[in-house]
């Protein structure tokens, strides 16, 4: 694969901003190079120095966890930043297009719209699997990105791996983005391990879900080192703040939290599915490989509003194509899930 063919020329040739911290990397000395305040920060902690622009300590931890190399990892201010940068790196408004497979994560469309990039939508099939033939038909020589989300949001299911392989092997003019935000809740292996074989793949993950760090905003992209260095070249130089970096380093060092959260949430998912299955007005519970379930209810809008009136907030997906009458429910703590089931039962009895 010749990456240069799929990267905008001005990005490929860009000379990046060189920060003070890029030019001198030592840790010891008197630092009069970056116009920082030597006095400190007005709080007991010291945030007065610019952070590591390439977040190497975090990447070393992640490389060990994800079984990849440091130069295959990009860190962004949430996955949102990675999505935006990938679009800006590959697509020129008015020329290139991307393929989306709704119902899926809304940020692909928003980010493409902000960047004024043509979106070709090929809906999932009614079983929420990829319409491989439809996607291949929608692709043309100006298609630069194909977004695949597995396990998919808001449907919750994982997509057939053979379909993903078929698409990776057939799509020759750009990158296949595989969004694995929910991979920790799935028994499916990550595509990170296949990057060496498929350099046209970019895998996205996040610390917002299983790692419990949504507020810190840390998204990850895993790809060929050439792609990673292009992303690093176009990102804002200090896109991950120092406080975030410090907390993430500590959180990743706690190796048991993610594991125990996932096993508890998976047990709760099973329990919630069983309880909801006993309510006759629950019309369908879709299979989930994520920390949420999509459920089709009788009178879903009224139920959703009732739950809100009882201060229990779910996500109404009733207006989304292929998700008619459906509500997306995040798996909560045991008592929260019990409360949900009680409220739903009360609503239908009344
Ligand atoms: C939640 C989610 C993300 C994570 O986004 P962040 O910006 O990293 O919080 C990414 N993709 C999908 C499909 C999601 O549902």
């Amino acid at each position: 694969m010749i990456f240069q063919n799929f990267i905008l020329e001005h990005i490929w040739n860009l000379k990046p901003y060189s920060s003070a911290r890029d030019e001198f990397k030592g840790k010891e000395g008197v630092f009069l190079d970056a116009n920082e305040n030597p006095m400190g920060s007005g709080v007991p902690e010291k945030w007065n120095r610019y952070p590591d622009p390439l977040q190497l300590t975090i990447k070393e931890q992640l490389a060990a966890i994800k079984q990849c190399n440091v130069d295959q990892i990009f860190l962004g201010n949430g996955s949102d930043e990675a999505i935006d940068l990938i679009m800006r790196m590959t697509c020129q408004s008015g020329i290139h297009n991307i393929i989306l497979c709704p119902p899926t994560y809304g940020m692909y469309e928003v980010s493409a719209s902000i960047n004024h990039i043509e979106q070709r939508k090929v809906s999932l099939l009614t079983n929420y699997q990829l319409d491989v033939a439809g996607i291949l038909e929608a692709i043309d020589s100006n298609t630069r990105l194909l977004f695949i989300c597995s396990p998919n949001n808001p449907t919750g299911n994982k997509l057939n791996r053979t379909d993903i392989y078929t698409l990776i092997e057939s799509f020759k003019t750009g990158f296949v983005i595989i969004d694995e935000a929910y991979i920790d809740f799935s028994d499916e292996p990550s595509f990170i391990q296949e990057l060496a074989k498929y350099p046209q793949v970019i895998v996205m993950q996040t610390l917002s879900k299983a790692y419990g760090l949504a507020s810190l905003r840390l998204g990850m992209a895993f790809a060929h080192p050439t792609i990673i260095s292009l992303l690093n070249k176009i990102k804002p130089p200090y896109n991950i703040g120092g406080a975030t970096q410090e907390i993430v380093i500590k959180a990743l060092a706690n190796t048991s939290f993610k594991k125990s959260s996932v096993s508890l949430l998976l047990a709760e998912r099973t329990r919630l599915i069983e309880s909801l299955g006993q309510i006759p007005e629950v019309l369908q519970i879709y299979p989930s490989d994520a920390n949420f379930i999509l459920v089709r209810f009788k009178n879903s809008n009224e139920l959703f509003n009732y739950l809100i009136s009882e201060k229990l907030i779910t996500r109404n997906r009733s207006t989304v194509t292929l998700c008619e009458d459906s509500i997306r429910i995040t798996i909560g703590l045991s008592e929260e899930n019990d409360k949900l089931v009680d409220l739903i039962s009360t609503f239908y009895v009344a």
Side-chain angles (χ1 to χ4, degrees):
M1 177 175 192
I2 301 164
F3 289 122
Q4 196 169 351
N5 293 348
F6 311 128
I7 305 293
L8 297 179
E9 197 181 341
H10 71 283
I11 299 292
W12 188 268
N13 294 327
L14 179 80
K15 193 174 171 302
Y17 175 72
S18 180
S19 71
R21 288 293 168 270
D22 287 321
E23 288 174 14
F24 181 84
K25 292 192 198 284
K27 287 211 157 53
E28 305 279 308
V30 175
F31 286 93
L32 303 179
D33 58 345
N35 301 344
E36 298 151 335
N37 185 338
M39 312 283 290
S41 310
V43 288
E45 305 80 40
K46 289 189 135 202
W47 303 117
N48 55 323
R49 301 294 176 186
Y50 281 99
D52 174 6
L54 292 173
Q55 313 97 16
L56 268 179
T57 307
I58 298 175
K59 286 179 184 171
E60 281 162 9
Q61 291 173 299
L62 286 172
I65 295 169
K66 305 289 179 186
Q67 303 286 315
C68 66
N69 299 323
V70 164
D71 65 3
Q72 291 176 296
I73 308 173
F74 168 82
L75 299 182
N77 185 350
S79 303
D80 311 334
E81 185 171 35
I83 295 168
D84 178 64
L85 292 176
I86 291 166
M87 290 184 182
R88 286 160 58 192
M89 170 175 88
T90 55
C91 294
Q92 184 162 340
S93 174
I95 296 180
H96 300 111
N97 66 77
I98 68 169
I99 311 273
L100 305 179
C101 305
T104 192
Y105 187 46
M107 269 314 287
Y108 314 140
E109 175 169 357
V110 172
S111 201
S113 298
I114 292 169
N115 289 302
H116 207 239
I117 299 165
E118 179 192 342
Q119 300 142 45
R120 300 188 175 179
K121 293 181 185 164
V122 183
S123 289
L124 296 177
L125 303 170
T126 49
N127 63 0
Y128 293 155
Q129 291 297 328
L130 293 163
D131 176 2
V132 175
I135 292 169
L136 293 178
E137 210 166 292
I139 288 172
D140 68 15
S141 60
N142 285 319
T143 304
R144 284 274 168 98
L145 302 174
L146 164 59
F147 279 85
I148 292 175
C149 185
S150 182
N152 187 40
N153 178 5
T155 59
N157 60 298
K158 61 185 176 195
L159 302 178
N160 292 333
R161 212 171 174 86
T162 47
D163 291 347
I164 300 178
Y165 286 126
T166 303
L167 290 167
I168 293 171
E169 281 165 10
S170 316
F171 176 39
K172 305 284 185 200
T173 60
F175 297 96
V176 178
I177 319 292
I178 305 178
D179 188 341
E180 296 183 338
Y182 299 98
I183 192 79
D184 300 295
F185 301 100
S186 169
D187 50 17
E188 197 73 3
S190 169
F191 271 88
I192 292 174
Q193 267 55 56
E194 314 230 21
L195 289 173
K197 187 170 172 202
Y198 297 119
Q200 67 273 47
V201 168
I202 303 175
V203 175
M204 293 201 310
Q205 292 189 7
T206 178
L207 297 185
S208 296
K209 309 285 156 60
Y211 284 87
L213 297 170
S215 173
L216 294 186
R217 312 303 306 127
L218 201 109
M220 306 168 264
F222 300 86
H224 188 281
T226 302
I227 301 308
I228 297 301
S229 57
L230 286 163
L231 291 171
N232 284 332
K233 188 166 84 159
I234 63 175
K235 77 183 179 68
Y238 302 108
N239 61 329
I240 311 292
T244 293
Q245 293 194 39
E246 233 172 71
I247 300 167
V248 167
I249 289 165
K250 279 191 212 152
L252 290 178
N254 178 348
T255 48
S256 62
F257 177 78
K258 186 207 90 169
K259 229 176 143 201
S260 57
S261 307
V262 168
S263 67
L264 183 122
L265 292 171
L266 292 185
E268 281 299 308
R269 185 177 78 191
T270 304
R271 207 175 63 85
L272 181 60
I273 289 171
E274 276 167 15
S275 310
L276 290 175
Q278 284 160 23
I279 301 174
E281 292 84 356
V282 169
L283 303 176
Q284 193 161 4
I285 305 171
Y286 295 96
S288 170
D289 294 284
N291 66 334
F292 60 86
I293 51 176
L294 187 72
V295 184
R296 196 156 60 84
F297 292 97
K298 192 177 165 195
N299 300 331
S300 61
N301 288 317
E302 291 82 354
L303 171 64
F304 173 77
N305 290 328
Y306 170 74
L307 293 174
I308 287 190
S309 73
E310 295 291 327
K311 298 198 163 47
L312 195 151
I313 321 304
T314 57
R315 197 98 201 267
N316 191 354
R317 300 284 81 188
S318 298
T319 58
V320 174
T321 340
L322 293 180
C323 299
E324 289 76 19
D325 309 311
S326 298
I327 295 178
R328 194 190 71 189
I329 300 167
T330 305
I331 308 300
L333 298 172
S334 178
E335 57 269 30
E336 296 173 326
N337 302 327
D338 288 345
K339 180 173 178 181
L340 171 79
V341 173
D342 286 349
L343 286 173
I344 294 173
S345 303
T346 307
F347 171 77
Y348 286 118
V349 167

